[in-house]
Amino acid sequence: MSFVRRFAAAVVVAALAFAPTAQAGTSPPTGRAVQAAPGVDYWTEPSSTSVFRDTLPSKQSGRAISLDAAINEEESAQIVVRSASTLTVQGVDFSALTSGAKSIAASNLSYNFVTYKYLNSNTRFGSQQMYPAVRKAPGDFPDPLSNDRTASVGPRTSLSIWVTAAVPKGTTAGLYAGTVTVTTNKGPIAVPISIDVRAVTLPDPKDQTFETTLWNTFFGELSWAPEGRTVEETYKYERYTPEYWELLERVAEQMKRHRTNTLTLPLVNLLIDGNTTVTNNSNATGVYTFDWSRIDQIVEFMVARGVVKRLEGFWVSADTYNWGRPQDDIREVEIIDGLGGKGQRNYVNWDSPKAKNFIDQFIPALKQHLDAKGWTTGLDYWMHVGDEPGIEGGDEEAAWRGILARMRSKWPNVPVGDAAFHEPVAASVSKEMAVVVPNLLNYDANQAAYDALRAQGKDLYFYNCNIPVGNYLNRFIDQPQFNQRLTPWYAYSRGANGYLHYSMSGWLADLNTTESKGDHYIVWPDEDRNTIQSSIRYESLRDGIEDYEVLNHLGKTNPKLARDLATALTQKADKYSPDTGYQARIRKLALDAAAGKPVAGDLARTAEVSASSGNAAAAIDGDDSTSWQPATPGGQWLQLNFDRQIQLDGLRLNWAGAPAANYTVQVSYNGSRWTTAYSGGGGAFAGINGKARSVRITFDGSTPYALKGIEVAGSKLAKANVLGGRTYTVSPAPNSKPDSGIESTDGVLADAHDDGRTYGFGAGQPTATVTFDLGSTQRVDSARVHAYEEYPAYRPDRITVSTSADGNNWKQRGFLPGTTNDQAGIWFEFDFPPTDARFIRFTLQKTYGGDAGVMLIDELEAYSATAPASLATGAAYTKTAAPEAGYPDAGNKESTDGVIAGHHDDSLSYGYKYGVGTTGRVKVLVDLGSAQSFGRVEVHDNYDGVTKYSPDLVRISVGNSPTALTELAATSVSSAQWFRLPVQATARYVQVEYEKYAQGNAADWVFVDEIAVYPN
């Protein structure tokens, strides 16, 4: 092979370094693999993935960006780049996205680099933890989106590039495709990008249904926090200077892009800024001359930029500890005070003469001004009385009600709203509000009370701040990114129409001393550019708001379907699906339904259908003029059998008339063992995240019903789960939660421990095994263990997967510590060379103590192998150096025996140690026995849960002579514990070179294990 051809081949293979494979039940990444610079690896992730500096791809990671969007919507994804040496990204360019003759201009695409904030601890509120965290602190966590146009990262460090595509109004629906080109100091990386645009146009922020208020400090300090001047101290200039208006221009742009459509106005601040005066007020008899100029200036500026739907008057009473006043559980009122001339800010007791004098002049003047400007109704003005009223009830509640009564004496119908937390006061005072704002904790515990207020026509906003913690939806830096996106989904499912959060820009708060990480920061300052930085949480909130508007669009024609789709993802504020793949699929269903399309890839059309009575075929014939109606209403069933196992996302039910009031959906792998996956009634969609071969709907009740059609959302599994529906043995018998005998193979994922879908072990049971007899020898190549979703402390600490031909002699096929390795963070995934086995065993280990009181087990899966066996299994090999004496290569077979190593002390791998500050190399030459044609080489990456005993670089060379080898591929990136390198060649010898730069602290070892070579 000539040098030119060798170089070109190496370039292409480097681009395909890890070549992630598709998980069963998903489609492979779209777009073709493309050329990248030698030594540079890249992959793509959805916006829901938290990419850390040491993040490596999962099996679900892609090679292209594929987005789904409505018109007038923005959607994002990530390109992650990584190199064995220092890498500089010099810029990112976009082509136009085209669909036939139609196009979306390149100017509608943008990028930012994901940067990090150090967290010294994970979020908590007092003794209450937040869980699950995306990672344990301390450490650097991804959040700010840098405005830099270039970025550099060191060796073996991942850099995420956040790519956003905006679909402008007027775009025609269709599939648009183009290219993102990442220019690096090592050459360009070309990444395919596509966006499937649905025929649904979202309203502009000022016209949308969902209302969002993020309390901020851009116009002055929050009312109860008079200390500090955030803008002035951060940017080093005064408000209302030219630099300030330049900053507001950029703030307005970000607020509009992120659909933050309520303008928070610190009224007293702005009135003082506008030169409001007061005569001598020492005896509470001062006369005010209000200057509204700064308020008008701010409002008109933001309205002109298309940001504002509502105005929120931020005049707040509080039991303030500021200004030297002690907290006494009684509210104080923020007023303008003075001895004559320009007024000053002050706080006084709520029922003092000064408070009454201020309220009596301020409130009627405010109304008069708002009316004159047309903002009372035109911008739907509302205002605060005081945050979180009724902390203790009694005098504190009386103070809030007393202030409101004084306001209403001057403005009888003044629309007020306050974030309310302390029950039962919160629900009680909410009756006085036009904008009802319960914390998610309050709402979930008192749904009926708040729903009744919403039914009266009041606005219903959800809010979160430093609470709730636990498993509740919130927006902390160390939470999964999707939490913020799901909050508007939950709002839609419950009929709420807004979201309130403190704080967008409370930058004077110290991140290290604050328990709730990120509570004061939803955007970050960029002083050098006189602008702000967005954050991945702000992006997630925008995405959730846009999803809400898609659901709202659908709800105008099919409210039941829209509500059911939202409920499929969020049942309560602390009960929701953390499966980001499922989230994406339900979102696609919502887009399709809003665009008038049927469920994408409807599986019912090719299913075998039967029923207890009536014409079952009418339910899946696609003809709305026919329908299935049983002979009698109660005790009837309709069953669908598929020609292979499916990933089931839900059932869309199209009723002929009134829907059935009660029905259950059961799933089965074998048609004999059934598990209830859904119970409900009256809806149009039953959301189910499960796997099955058959689905049965059973109807109860006495009211007649008929189905015009049923659509099955989901996809056929690429490979069969050989454990689906099988019996198994558990040893020892669980002593915490019993097993019904089907929990691990029923295809239905567990959520909370009380849902009856898990079994559990406790103290005295540190090791448990679950063993399957397949009945006959089958070829398998992967396994999965579903992680307990709600609370990670209940997950196993170690998992080992083994196979056997006879049930006595076992070989280890996979090992993982208690860290999930899929994209969503809810599965332990194991890959291994295809092997023939009759028995499969899962060994689960747990150290109990503290919060880790139990070990809960749910779904276990293993998949049939569709690819041929590894050509390297059992092959002889040689090494350029002998391993360390303490970690030998037993029998010179560890690299080709098909046994997958786990912890380095398990004697299933061999190790090399190098001097700190040096680069070590070892080569393993595998002899296939004769020239073989192959297309992929995979090299196992050893990880024991503590240290990555990984090489920094893996090189593949091939040839027909041990002394004449050609290097064809190199990568520094492993995927799901394997370095995966496409290598198209015909050769007898395959050489794997492991390169390691020794850094100390155990990062000076390389442990070598399995090498697999797969034929074309």
Side-chain angles (χ1 to χ4, degrees):
M1 177 182 282
S2 70
F3 173 79
V4 173
R5 291 182 61 197
R6 287 174 57 193
F7 178 78
V11 168
V12 172
V13 173
L16 296 169
F18 69 90
T21 56
Q23 170 194 329
T26 67
S27 299
T30 59
R32 64 183 183 84
V34 293
Q35 183 168 310
V40 178
D41 295 288
Y42 86 92
W43 65 95
T44 60
E45 297 285 355
S47 60
S48 55
T49 300
S50 294
V51 176
F52 291 82
R53 289 189 172 103
D54 60 353
T55 291
L56 294 174
S58 68
K59 288 175 64 177
Q60 294 79 39
S61 301
R63 303 295 295 180
I65 292 174
S66 179
L67 301 173
D68 294 271
I71 300 163
N72 201 28
E73 180 178 15
E74 295 190 19
E75 275 295 317
S76 303
Q78 301 174 82
I79 300 171
V80 187
V81 295
R82 188 179 176 99
S83 175
S85 58
T86 298
L87 179 69
T88 297
V89 175
Q90 299 164 327
V92 179
D93 297 298
F94 305 95
S95 73
L97 306 183
T98 60
S99 176
K102 302 171 292 186
S103 68
I104 297 174
S107 58
N108 291 290
L109 288 89
S110 60
Y111 73 96
N112 300 88
F113 296 107
V114 176
T115 57
Y116 297 83
K117 288 294 178 179
Y118 177 79
L119 303 186
N120 59 351
S121 62
N122 287 115
T123 291
R124 62 190 310 111
F125 182 73
S127 62
Q128 303 173 50
Q129 300 179 47
M130 179 276 297
Y131 54 84
V134 291
R135 182 169 291 195
K136 289 185 178 180
D140 291 333
F141 285 71
D143 194 56
L145 295 180
S146 169
N147 296 313
D148 292 343
R149 298 296 84 192
T150 65
S152 294
V153 290
R156 303 167 297 280
T157 303
S158 297
L159 173 64
S160 172
I161 305 168
W162 192 273
V163 174
T164 300
V167 181
K169 287 192 290 187
T171 301
T172 304
L175 181 63
Y176 293 78
T179 303
V180 183
T181 301
V182 180
T183 302
T184 78
N185 61 326
K186 298 185 178 183
I189 304 171
V191 183
I193 180 172
S194 64
I195 182 163
D196 189 349
V197 179
R198 308 310 204 276
V200 179
T201 299
L202 303 189
D204 288 335
K206 63 182 179 60
D207 302 317
Q208 70 191 30
T209 300
F210 198 75
E211 298 166 359
T212 309
T213 174
L214 302 181
W215 292 353
N216 64 74
T217 56
F218 294 116
F219 316 119
E221 298 308 298
L222 298 176
S223 295
W224 72 82
E227 82 288 1
R229 299 191 305 153
T230 302
V231 167
E232 292 83 350
E233 293 187 35
T234 302
Y235 293 94
K236 310 305 179 188
Y237 54 69
E238 295 295 316
R239 282 180 289 145
Y240 314 116
T241 60
E243 294 88 351
Y244 173 75
W245 293 110
E246 181 183 75
L247 171 65
L248 282 199
E249 191 78 55
R250 293 160 181 172
V251 169
E253 178 186 358
Q254 287 280 25
M255 290 178 67
K256 184 176 180 180
R257 282 192 62 181
H258 293 85
R259 296 181 174 268
T260 306
N261 57 5
T262 297
L263 192 60
T264 303
L265 300 171
L267 297 173
V268 168
N269 257 302
L270 292 169
L271 285 170
I272 293 173
D273 288 349
N275 200 34
T276 291
T277 61
V278 59
T279 62
N280 190 328
N281 196 43
S282 57
N283 293 318
T285 57
V287 177
Y288 292 92
T289 302
F290 295 106
D291 185 340
W292 307 98
S293 60
R294 289 304 189 191
I295 292 176
D296 294 350
Q297 193 175 17
I298 292 294
V299 173
E300 289 164 1
F301 181 94
M302 302 299 277
V303 167
R305 282 146 185 81
V307 177
V308 185
K309 178 182 181 182
R310 297 196 77 170
L311 296 181
E312 178 184 0
F314 212 95
W315 170 64
V316 174
S317 62
D319 177 20
T320 180
Y321 54 88
N322 299 298
W323 298 58
R325 298 178 183 276
Q327 288 183 282
D328 58 6
D329 295 333
I330 300 177
R331 291 184 172 269
E332 295 172 324
V333 173
E334 180 188 26
I335 71 166
I336 298 173
D337 206 355
L339 299 178
K342 185 175 178 64
Q344 299 175 350
R345 208 169 171 197
N346 196 9
Y347 285 84
V348 296
N349 289 337
W350 73 273
D351 61 348
S352 67
K354 280 191 176 184
K356 295 174 182 176
N357 182 51
F358 181 71
I359 293 171
D360 289 350
Q361 295 182 60
F362 169 60
I363 291 298
L366 173 64
K367 182 181 188 305
Q368 182 181 14
H369 185 73
L370 292 170
D371 287 344
K373 300 293 289 187
W375 295 341
T376 317
T377 55
L379 291 178
D380 207 6
Y381 177 84
W382 65 284
M383 69 186 301
H384 296 281
V385 176
D387 191 43
E388 294 188 343
I391 293 176
E392 300 293 340
D395 290 343
E396 217 286 311
E397 179 185 355
W400 187 91
R401 292 183 181 275
I403 296 167
L404 177 60
R406 193 86 188 183
M407 292 168 61
R408 284 182 172 164
S409 71
K410 302 301 177 182
W411 183 354
N413 297 316
V414 57
V416 301
D418 274 311
F421 172 65
H422 305 277
E423 297 291 1
V425 175
S428 177
V429 298
S430 292
K431 297 175 183 178
E432 307 295 334
M433 300 181 191
V435 181
V436 179
V437 194
N439 188 280
L440 287 172
L441 277 171
N442 297 70
Y443 180 78
D444 273 9
N446 301 276
Q447 287 185 2
Y450 292 106
D451 289 348
L453 296 176
R454 176 62 171 153
Q456 295 173 20
K458 297 175 182 287
D459 292 302
L460 176 61
Y461 289 13
F462 291 156
Y463 91 95
N464 48 30
C465 48
N466 55 355
I467 54 172
V469 286
N471 191 47
Y472 276 86
L473 295 171
N474 211 316
R475 18 72 43 235
F476 303 119
I477 293 173
D478 48 342
Q479 273 187 309
Q481 294 178 32
F482 62 76
N483 270 49
Q484 181 72 100
R485 185 168 193 161
L486 286 186
T487 301
W489 281 79
Y490 185 51
Y492 189 86
S493 76
R494 300 307 310 170
N497 67 308
Y499 174 70
L500 179 151
H501 182 258
Y502 164 87
S503 152
M504 185 180 186
S505 57
W507 301 325
L508 299 184
D510 184 358
L511 190 59
N512 284 327
T513 58
T514 304
E515 287 186 325
S516 49
K517 302 304 182 182
D519 186 44
H520 300 84
Y521 309 81
I522 199 69
V523 298
W524 301 88
D526 184 347
E527 301 95 321
D528 292 341
R529 292 177 177 80
N530 194 29
T531 187
I532 57 175
Q533 300 177 89
S534 181
S535 69
I536 57 180
R537 292 170 297 142
Y538 202 20
E539 305 290 300
S540 183
L541 175 58
R542 175 207 64 212
D543 291 339
I545 295 168
E546 290 173 335
D547 294 343
Y548 183 104
E549 295 301 323
V550 170
L551 292 167
N552 189 61
H553 181 96
L554 171 61
K556 293 175 181 177
T557 56
N558 196 332
K560 289 183 182 295
L561 178 58
R563 188 68 54 86
D564 289 350
L565 287 169
T567 304
L569 294 187
T570 55
Q571 297 82 50
K572 295 181 67 177
D574 66 342
K575 184 176 176 58
Y576 48 85
S577 173
D579 186 340
T580 54
Y582 183 62
Q583 292 171 18
R585 296 194 299 274
I586 293 296
R587 178 176 172 271
K588 288 181 181 180
L589 295 180
L591 279 166
D592 285 339
K597 295 182 177 181
V599 169
D602 176 26
L603 297 170
R605 296 293 170 262
T606 57
E608 177 186 277
V609 63
S610 58
S612 53
S613 62
N615 180 15
I620 63 169
D621 62 5
D623 184 355
D624 282 353
S625 67
T626 64
S627 61
W628 169 71
Q629 185 169 9
T632 59
Q636 302 293 312
W637 54 264
L638 179 74
Q639 182 169 322
L640 299 171
N641 300 321
F642 307 97
D643 60 2
R644 64 192 301 175
Q645 293 175 1
I646 66 167
Q647 164 63 49
L648 177 63
D649 295 330
L651 307 177
R652 181 176 177 179
L653 306 170
N654 185 11
W655 302 97
N662 298 289
Y663 51 86
T664 59
V665 181
Q666 294 180 302
V667 296
S668 175
Y669 274 109
N670 53 24
S672 59
R673 290 162 58 103
W674 294 89
T675 297
T676 298
Y678 177 91
S679 296
F685 185 82
I688 301 169
N689 185 7
K691 296 184 177 71
R693 182 75 182 266
S694 299
V695 176
R696 174 185 287 175
I697 312 175
T698 302
F699 300 86
D700 298 316
S702 58
T703 303
Y705 54 87
L707 270 174
K708 291 193 290 185
I710 181 171
E711 300 172 44
V712 179
S715 59
K716 296 181 179 180
L717 297 186
K719 300 190 294 184
N721 172 21
V722 299
L723 306 185
R726 290 189 181 275
T727 57
Y728 49 87
T729 58
V730 181
S731 180
N735 66 0
S736 177
K737 292 178 67 66
D739 174 35
S740 67
I742 196 174
E743 306 301 354
S744 280
T745 59
D746 61 4
V748 181
L749 302 185
D751 177 24
H753 65 87
D754 57 357
D755 64 7
R757 291 174 177 167
T758 62
Y759 53 99
F761 305 85
Q765 297 183 326
T767 301
T769 60
V770 184
T771 306
F772 295 84
D773 182 351
L774 303 182
S776 61
T777 299
Q778 299 189 44
R779 179 161 289 185
V780 292
D781 65 3
S782 58
R784 306 176 83 206
V785 176
H786 183 230
Y788 180 67
E789 294 180 354
E790 183 187 35
Y791 195 41
Y794 296 164
R795 297 173 180 176
D797 294 332
R798 291 185 175 186
I799 306 173
T800 304
V801 178
S802 305
T803 65
S804 173
D806 58 10
N808 296 310
N809 300 293
W810 296 88
K811 286 188 176 182
Q812 182 170 301
R813 303 299 182 183
F815 166 89
L816 277 174
T819 304
T820 55
N821 62 340
D822 71 315
Q823 196 173 71
I826 59 171
W827 289 93
F828 302 95
E829 300 197 320
F830 304 85
D831 284 357
F832 42 87
T835 186
D836 293 329
R838 174 171 173 172
F839 298 90
I840 299 176
R841 183 177 68 195
F842 295 84
T843 303
L844 309 117
Q845 296 172 281
K846 182 74 175 178
T847 299
Y848 300 104
D851 294 326
V854 296
M855 175 172 65
L856 298 179
I857 307 301
D858 175 31
E859 209 68 7
L860 306 176
E861 301 176 345
Y863 286 90
S864 60
T866 56
S870 168
L871 298 171
T873 301
Y877 57 88
T878 58
K879 302 180 287 289
T880 55
E884 295 290 320
Y887 298 96
D889 182 5
N892 201 53
K893 61 180 177 58
E894 304 295 1
S895 283
T896 58
D897 61 0
V899 178
I900 307 302
H903 192 277
H904 63 277
D905 283 335
D906 64 9
S907 300
L908 300 178
S909 61
Y910 50 100
Y912 297 87
K913 185 177 182 180
Y914 302 109
V916 175
T918 67
T919 298
R921 296 179 180 86
V922 63
K923 300 175 182 178
V924 180
L925 182 68
V926 180
D927 183 357
L928 301 180
S930 62
Q932 303 283 336
S933 178
F934 50 89
R936 188 170 85 255
V937 177
E938 296 193 0
V939 179
H940 189 241
D941 181 15
N942 182 275
Y943 178 43
D944 68 355
V946 178
T947 307
K948 290 285 286 184
Y949 295 109
S950 306
D952 295 329
L953 195 66
V954 172
R955 295 186 179 92
I956 304 297
S957 301
V958 303
N960 286 310
S961 167
T963 59
L965 300 173
T966 300
E967 182 180 320
L968 290 185
T971 184
S972 61
V973 170
S974 64
S975 168
Q977 293 196 300
W978 289 88
F979 295 93
R980 309 173 192 269
L981 300 101
V983 179
Q984 295 290 332
T986 299
R988 174 175 175 173
Y989 296 95
V990 176
Q991 177 180 274
V992 180
E993 179 179 355
Y994 300 80
E995 179 179 295
K996 176 80 169 188
Y997 175 71
Q999 297 174 286
N1001 295 321
D1004 48 1
W1005 284 83
V1006 168
F1007 282 87
V1008 178
D1009 185 31
E1010 204 69 11
I1011 297 170
V1013 180
Y1014 294 104
N1016 288 306

